[in-house]
Amino acid sequence: MTTARGPLLLGVRHHGPGSARAVRAALDAGAPRVVLIEGPPEADPLLALAADRAMRPPVALLAHAVDDPGRAVFWPLAAFSPEWVALRWALDHGVPARFIDLPAAHSLAAGPAPDGPGDDGGPDPLAALAAAAGHDSPETWWEDAVEHRGPGTGSGGPFAPFDAVAEAMSALREEYGDGGSARDRVREAHMRLQLRSARKEFAEHGDAAVAVVCGAWHVPALRERTTLAADRALLKGLPKVRTDITWVPWTHRRLARRSGYGAGIDAPGWYGHLFDAPDRPVERWLTKVAGLLREEDHPVSPAHVIEAVRLAEALAALRGRPLAGLAETMDAVRAVLCEGSDVPVGLIKERLVVGDVLGEVPDTAPAVPLQRDLTRLQRSLRLKPQAGERELDLDLRKEGDAAKSALLHRLRLLGVGWGEPAEGRTGTGTFREGWRLRWEPELAVRVAEAGVWGTTVLAAATARAESLARSAVTLAEVTALAESCLPAALPDALPVVMRALADRAALDTDVGRLARALPALARAARYGDVRTGTGAKTGSGTGTAALAEVAAGLAERVCVGLPPACAGLDADGAAEMRGHLDRAHTAIGLLTGGQDRAGEAAGLRGRWEGVLHRLAERDTVSGGIRGRAVRLLLDDGRLDRDRAAVLMGLALSPGVPPPEAAAWMEGFLGGAPGGGLILVHDERLLGLVDAWLTGVAPGAFTDVLPLLRRTFSAYEPGVRRALGERVRRGPGGAGGPAGHGPGAPGFGPGLDEGRADAVMPLLTLILDRTHDLAEVTG
């Protein structure tokens, strides 16, 4: 047995529940006086925390370089990890536990290994052993050989599995050489040194007083007879960096990836179940699956569970397996509980096979000051980190929700992507804000990195914003930063950002860049107060008012520079400039809407209206830009329909090349809100378009067809049907030029005053409520 030949060398598979049970049984039988575990020795002072009631796996040891927190590495441990079981056994029995792997100070200095520091080097031992046993799946072979067999199964007692594994690893290393890289040889040399030291320290109790729990691949190397000098020579001159180490929460989802202890298991939830339910695991698993399906309103009865158990056992027998594994149980689940559908199977894999378990660490664990402040804020705001993705809807009128929003925005500014704004759920300029939250273990590294900016989230985000403002090169970078500072509630950073913004805006002469930067400034200036829940004023007088001044100055420069920039453009340049035109129009609408300085707002609106008129009527401007300018003026009520019809008639006249006319139509009809409805309700414009289309020569029509198809295919089906119906009826079919005759569906010959009067009470009620809400919200 292992005990007769020296120390207890317990070779395991990282994150293997069968290995974990076998380790516990071997330690109970061997009763060692010290337990040595594969892991970073710097963590020895933190091992006692594993006994804390607040410590709940999965957790991980996080080591990072003090001078470069981004250089970090994890050693994850689950409840079913043999290393965690060995550590808890030692703490429960009052036996010292020590980590014996290469120190993290050396590992970080040398750079990360391909799959993390705990990865077993050389060939894949499971694949080699599975092939030798006639299995084509290493996972299936390991489950049959180890995971599905209880500790002490067969002859030889609790130590026999480790003897067999060690013998197999020795054969593999003889076949493939030492199989490892230079890093593996260095790690194993350090392990041997630590083993020698422990054997010497506990020599009076015999070699069996020392137990070693490590990856099975390393067991032959620890048995190898080498000299002390040879091992020390391998470790001599290794690079080293200052390192901090702590415990951090881990997740089952992250455990499924290949990193740290590199098992890269695909089913941590299933492995956790095998560890917690060694007796009748199939029945218990399928009962758990049935419970999940019932929670999701999927009809599952006890009879379904019984039949699924029978099918899983029959499949295992047909496949020559000692016990139904995950493959057999999931096949039975799909066939019996899910009726062949993969949709509920996907839910089961997400919730149970992998799982969204998030571990916890006690408050006494070491942490950088920024992490402690973040933890304090999370508790005070009742914003607990969770492994699974969840939706968070905030009402920014509430103080608590506004504080949550500010925290999430500050963390994004620091590069800690705990929350992402939910697309379509955050209403610009409203009191609602939506987020999607998911806490990933790697965010602990991001927090450690961000610690260089300050000891609190507010101070760090402020310092980070100031640094970004000073180092920003382009105007767009500064405008995006300014837009981020207001919802993050960083009033102290705004003066620096505003100075940088003014400097970049004064130096930039490119109209396209100015137009791209303008919307972010307009949104921040228009909605900053509402979205932050504060006045956004600082002692130096900066805030949304100052932001509005810069934005207005930028808009004035766009008004001056846009007309000449639109002349002489090719098709691609015209399409890009049309986008700038849309953005500038929207931004100026925000800047001139609801301002206290009505005179200045009216002046800017008037100048922008003049720009659109010049663009609409200038022949040297591309048709797409002219058409869009006409549409913007028409939608804003700055151009009557008669004049719009005249301009359309000129643009679609026979003397205009068909591609240019098609571009005008795309600018007028494409991409605008309700683009096709204007043709539905204005038969004169529809007639002009129809007459132009029918007059295009066959050869030219094929050239303009892609552009026309792109324009009209964007319309909703109802709009396309209405247009087709109007074209089918032909001119005058609606009973008049306006299309409001008795032949037009939905229109009468005139105003029905009785029906209009019936609508007035409801319309008054709606408008009154809207007015009241406007007064409340300011």
Side-chain angles (χ1 to χ4, degrees):
M1 292 193 306
T2 305
T3 53
R5 295 192 298 269
L8 299 175
L9 299 181
L10 308 179
V12 301
R13 185 193 185 193
H14 304 304
H15 311 311
S19 290
R21 290 195 301 269
V23 163
R24 185 163 55 195
L27 292 176
D28 285 338
R33 298 300 184 92
V34 63
V35 179
L36 308 181
I37 304 171
E38 182 182 334
E42 293 95 335
D44 284 353
L46 307 179
L47 295 185
L49 290 173
D52 194 303
R53 288 180 176 271
M55 179 77 84
R56 296 177 54 190
V59 293
L61 286 165
L62 163 62
H64 64 83
V66 173
D67 298 328
D68 183 9
R71 298 176 63 184
V73 69
F74 296 92
W75 286 264
L77 297 168
F80 51 83
S81 299
E83 297 83 1
W84 178 261
V85 170
L87 174 57
R88 287 305 308 264
W89 185 93
L91 294 172
D92 292 343
H93 290 78
V95 171
R98 301 169 185 169
F99 282 143
I100 61 170
D101 204 349
L102 189 69
H106 297 308
S107 299
L108 289 170
D115 289 311
D119 181 52
D120 296 327
D124 182 354
L126 293 188
L129 292 174
H135 285 252
D136 50 357
S137 170
E139 292 291 330
T140 301
W141 174 82
W142 182 262
E143 279 193 353
D144 291 350
V146 178
E147 305 302 344
H148 292 166
R149 300 184 183 275
T153 299
S155 61
F159 306 111
F162 299 105
D163 286 340
V165 169
E167 183 179 354
M169 293 300 117
S170 296
L172 285 175
R173 290 180 74 115
E174 289 177 6
E175 177 70 20
Y176 295 101
D178 63 15
S181 63
R183 172 177 294 219
D184 290 323
R185 291 190 289 272
V186 169
R187 291 176 58 211
E188 291 167 351
H190 190 272
M191 292 183 194
R192 285 192 295 266
L193 288 177
Q194 299 303 306
L195 177 57
R196 284 192 185 97
S197 177
R199 292 176 69 178
K200 183 178 179 180
E201 181 180 351
F202 293 90
E204 61 180 289
H205 301 288
D207 281 341
V210 180
V212 180
V213 179
C214 65
W217 180 257
H218 303 302
V219 170
L222 298 185
R223 284 182 173 176
E224 185 179 349
R225 295 183 179 275
T226 60
T227 65
L228 181 64
D231 285 340
R232 285 178 174 173
L234 286 172
L235 298 169
K236 186 177 181 180
L238 291 178
K240 188 176 182 179
V241 296
R242 289 194 305 133
T243 305
D244 276 345
I245 194 165
T246 187
W247 290 105
V248 296
W250 204 251
T251 66
H252 272 184
R253 189 176 310 280
R254 190 64 182 84
L255 195 65
R257 305 176 195 169
R258 188 172 181 83
S259 67
Y261 282 127
I265 58 175
D266 297 324
W270 165 254
Y271 272 21
H273 170 76
L274 288 180
F275 183 71
D276 294 332
D279 63 310
R280 305 182 70 84
V282 175
E283 292 86 343
R284 295 177 185 273
W285 174 258
L286 290 173
T287 301
K288 188 183 297 186
V289 170
L292 172 63
L293 292 176
R294 280 195 289 266
E295 289 176 1
E296 298 296 326
D297 297 327
H298 193 83
V300 177
S301 68
H304 285 95
V305 178
I306 294 171
E307 201 60 36
V309 170
R310 290 174 177 170
L311 178 57
E313 292 174 344
L315 289 173
L318 287 173
R319 296 170 183 175
R321 306 193 65 182
L323 185 70
L326 181 60
E328 288 72 31
T329 57
M330 291 307 296
D331 286 345
V333 165
R334 179 182 286 103
V336 180
L337 304 184
C338 301
E339 300 178 347
S341 173
D342 284 334
V343 175
V345 171
L347 174 69
I348 294 165
K349 290 181 179 179
E350 177 79 10
R351 299 275 188 88
L352 295 181
V353 177
V354 175
D356 54 5
V357 179
L358 174 65
E360 296 180 10
V361 299
D363 293 339
T364 52
V368 296
L370 182 62
Q371 177 64 65
R372 293 195 179 280
D373 184 61
L374 175 57
T375 302
R376 178 187 62 80
L377 292 171
Q378 288 169 334
R379 287 181 177 172
S380 64
L381 296 175
R382 297 181 181 178
L383 205 57
K384 185 178 180 180
Q386 295 181 0
E389 183 177 286
R390 63 174 175 134
E391 303 285 348
L392 180 67
D393 291 317
L394 301 177
D395 184 345
L396 300 180
R397 293 170 295 183
K398 299 178 180 178
E399 184 178 352
D401 283 5
K404 292 176 183 178
S405 172
L407 173 62
L408 294 172
H409 280 290
R410 290 169 185 172
L411 290 176
R412 280 173 55 82
L413 194 58
L414 290 170
V416 182
W418 178 19
E420 292 292 331
E423 293 293 334
R425 304 188 66 178
T426 300
T428 302
T430 73
F431 295 109
R432 312 301 304 184
E433 191 172 75
W435 292 85
R436 290 189 179 91
L437 303 184
R438 180 194 289 274
W439 185 267
E440 294 285 358
E442 290 84 351
L443 296 179
V445 179
R446 304 284 83 81
V447 173
E449 288 181 298
V452 301
W453 298 107
T455 57
T456 67
V457 176
L458 175 58
T462 298
R464 175 65 170 158
E466 292 173 351
S467 175
L468 289 174
R470 295 187 182 100
S471 62
V473 176
T474 66
L475 178 61
E477 292 175 356
V478 190
T479 54
L481 180 60
E483 191 178 19
S484 299
C485 285
L486 285 171
L490 302 176
D492 291 341
L494 277 175
V496 179
V497 175
M498 294 303 301
R499 284 195 296 271
L501 181 60
D503 292 343
R504 302 300 186 282
L507 296 175
D508 204 322
T509 58
D510 185 273
V511 173
R513 287 196 293 268
L514 295 176
R516 279 193 296 268
L518 187 57
L521 287 180
R523 287 193 300 268
R526 181 70 177 88
Y527 298 124
D529 290 354
V530 172
R531 297 178 65 80
T532 59
T534 66
K537 303 284 186 179
T538 68
S540 57
T542 59
T544 53
L547 204 59
E549 289 184 10
V550 176
L554 214 62
E556 296 284 0
R557 295 177 60 192
V558 170
C559 289
V560 172
L562 192 61
C566 290
L569 297 174
D570 59 13
D572 292 338
E576 182 180 1
M577 192 59 68
R578 197 179 76 192
H580 297 330
L581 181 67
D582 287 340
R583 285 188 285 271
H585 182 75
T586 302
I588 291 174
L590 288 175
L591 289 173
T592 58
Q595 288 194 8
D596 294 334
R597 296 168 296 177
E600 295 182 19
L604 180 57
R605 281 198 301 269
R607 283 187 285 278
W608 179 246
E609 180 182 338
V611 169
L612 293 178
H613 276 290
R614 288 198 298 274
L615 292 176
E617 302 184 13
R618 184 173 293 182
D619 293 338
T620 57
V621 174
S622 166
I625 297 176
R626 285 188 285 120
R628 180 51 56 91
V630 171
R631 182 58 185 271
L632 294 176
L633 288 168
L634 186 63
D635 288 345
D636 282 357
R638 306 296 177 180
L639 188 71
D640 59 46
R641 289 181 178 269
D642 291 338
R643 182 57 182 166
V646 170
L647 292 174
M648 176 181 282
L650 293 173
L652 303 183
S653 62
V656 178
E660 181 70 9
W664 194 98
M665 282 183 53
E666 184 186 29
F668 184 79
L669 298 173
L677 288 175
I678 191 171
L679 298 182
V680 174
H681 295 294
D682 194 319
E683 194 163 286
R684 180 170 45 172
L685 296 181
L686 178 60
L688 289 172
V689 174
D690 186 42
W692 174 77
L693 281 172
T694 56
V696 175
F701 187 79
T702 58
D703 295 332
V704 301
L705 181 60
L707 191 150
L708 296 174
R709 180 176 293 170
R710 183 170 68 236
T711 300
F712 287 95
S713 64
Y715 296 160
E716 295 180 355
V719 174
R720 292 200 298 268
R721 284 195 299 271
L723 287 175
E725 178 64 24
R726 282 189 168 275
V727 171
R728 186 185 63 81
R729 288 198 309 270
H740 291 175
F747 294 99
L751 177 64
D752 188 333
E753 295 185 1
R755 296 179 67 185
D757 290 341
V759 178
M760 290 304 296
L762 177 60
L763 183 60
T764 302
L765 178 63
I766 293 174
L767 292 176
D768 285 346
R769 287 185 175 179
T770 304
H771 177 70
D772 292 342
L773 179 61
E775 289 185 346
V776 171
T777 60

